[in-house]
């Protein structure tokens, strides 16, 4: 197949591109490197099946021309990360809403299927876990920037579903729950690479709030595998799917686990939310996906535990920091670890 991956130089995008090339597809990437990194795809650039376009999804001409060359579109290009979105709410809204509109419009004109990446953020601060795709969303006031990201992603979902309903454009929506793994950076707020980097450098591990908020951290290779299964399944069209893992952990427990795995002497410290983000910041207390819908349709279930995911992340960050992995770090078999990524 010929496939366009918008945001293909980003963390999830680059793993998806690798998997597509691995199965013999020809792949085009559009990325403006706002949060993506050229080094994520540098190792792919010599592959004749790989085509790299530096540009933004707001560029209608570029998107239209590239969509015309492809059979399938994965739309990942977006402003990501709580910290990034709070600092740049306007850019985030424009990139996320207008960008999706440009991609869907171009795909509709050419009749090309779109798999749209959304986020578990759309559930907001609802407390009824696990979250099912059909659950109500609970969002805070418009004065709190965090909710603009959740709203923007929900608008993207509405657009994708409306294109299917009104224009018969095949679209599939995936809601990612805290995807993690090699190549993710902590620059935009993501907690796992932040804690691992802090632990490896002997800096305080910064737990925001009381640390009793919980998340489920999923391995990017599992996410890619699930998304590829959905992209191929006719029954996924016009539907929304959670993807990730339902192994839940509090952020404080995560901090101590990372401290232990890395053998770090870093203290675990608590930082008030107002200091970490902005006054009035609202966090989600728990976020756990119900994975029964994707499991029933394509047989998806996560294959990598949090412990293995952390080992892979520690190894990756050691490489990037150019330091030796901590002594005693468990070995994770690459064959099982790279499910979906080769
Ligand atoms: N968090 C933290 N310390 C950090 C970064 C994040 O305690 O240095 C917390 C954050 O407040 C949230 C959780 O970790 O409760 C997950 O944050 P992340 O930004 O990775 O993802 P989110 O689930 O909030 O989108």
């Amino acid at each position: 197949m010929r496939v366009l991956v918008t945001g293909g130089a980003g963390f999830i995008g680059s793993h998806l591109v690798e998997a597509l090339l691995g199965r013999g597809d020809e792949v085009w990437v559009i990325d403006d490197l706002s949060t993506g990194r050229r080094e994520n795809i540098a190792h792919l650039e010599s592959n004749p099946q790989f085509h790299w376009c530096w540009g933004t999804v707001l560029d209608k001409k570029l998107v239209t021309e590239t969509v015309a060359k492809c059979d399938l579109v994965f739309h990942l290009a977006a402003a990501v990360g709580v910290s990034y979105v709070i600092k740049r709410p306007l850019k985030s809204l424009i990139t996320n809403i207008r960008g999706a509109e440009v991609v869907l419009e171009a795909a509709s004109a050419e009749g090309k299927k779109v798999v749209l990446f959304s986020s578990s953020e759309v559930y907001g601060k609802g407390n009824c876990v696990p979250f099912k795709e059909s659950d109500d969303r609970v969002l805070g006031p418009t004065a709190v920037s965090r909710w603009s990201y959740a709203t923007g992603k929900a608008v993207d979902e509405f657009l994708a579903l409306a294109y299917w309903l009104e224009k018969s454009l095949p679209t599939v929506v995936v809601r990612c729950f805290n995807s993690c793994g090699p190549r993710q950076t902590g620059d935009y707020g993501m907690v796992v690479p932040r804690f691992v980097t802090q632990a490896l450098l002997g800096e305080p591990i910064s737990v925001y709030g009381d640390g009793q908020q919980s998340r489920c951290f999923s391995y990017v290779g599992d996410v890619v595998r699930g998304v590829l299964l959905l992209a191929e399944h006719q029954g996924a069209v016009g539907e929304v799917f959670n993807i990730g893992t339902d192994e839940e952990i509090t952020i404080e427990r995560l901090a101590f686990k990372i401290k232990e795995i890395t053998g770090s002497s870093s203290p675990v410290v608590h930082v008030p939310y107002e200091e970490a983000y902005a006054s009035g910041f609202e966090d989600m207390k728990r976020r756990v996906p119900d994975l029964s819908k994707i499991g029933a349709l394509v047989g998806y279930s996560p294959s990598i535990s949090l412990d293995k995911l952390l080992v892979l992340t520690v190894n990756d960050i050691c490489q990037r920091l150019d330091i030796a992995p901590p002594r005693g770090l468990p070995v994770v078999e690459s064959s099982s670890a790279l499910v979906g990524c080769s």
Side-chain angles (χ1 to χ4, degrees), residues 82 121 146 178 189-191 194-195 198 206-208 213 215 251 273 277 283 287:
V82 177
E121 282 273 325
R146 172 170 207 158
N178 295 82
M190 281 75 167
V191 68
R194 281 179 60 81
F195 282 4
Q198 288 166 341
S206 57
V207 172
Y208 298 162
Q213 69 274 33
R215 297 291 187 271
I251 298 304
Y273 282 120
Y277 299 110
D283 203 359
R287 189 192 272 161

Side-chain angles (χ1 to χ4, degrees), residues 120-126 136-142 144 146-152 154 282 284:
S120 55
E121 282 273 325
V122 298
Y123 288 105
K125 52 185 173 177
D136 288 343
R137 297 177 297 119
V138 185
L139 303 186
T142 50
V144 177
R146 172 170 207 158
W147 306 118
S148 72
Y149 176 77
T151 304
E282 294 184 277
M284 287 85 169

Side-chain angles (χ1 to χ4, degrees), residues 60 63 75 97-116 154-173 237-239:
K60 272 190 182 179
V63 171
H75 178 52
I97 298 179
R98 202 181 288 163
E101 202 183 346
V102 168
V103 169
L104 287 163
E105 202 176 12
S108 179
E110 296 284 334
K112 307 291 172 64
K113 188 182 215 175
V114 179
V115 178
L116 182 127
V155 171
D156 292 356
E157 293 193 13
F158 278 124
L159 279 169
L161 297 174
Y163 265 99
W164 166 239
L165 289 174
E166 279 191 41
K167 307 268 187 192
S168 302
L169 175 72
T171 57
V172 181
V173 175
V237 170
E239 297 287 338

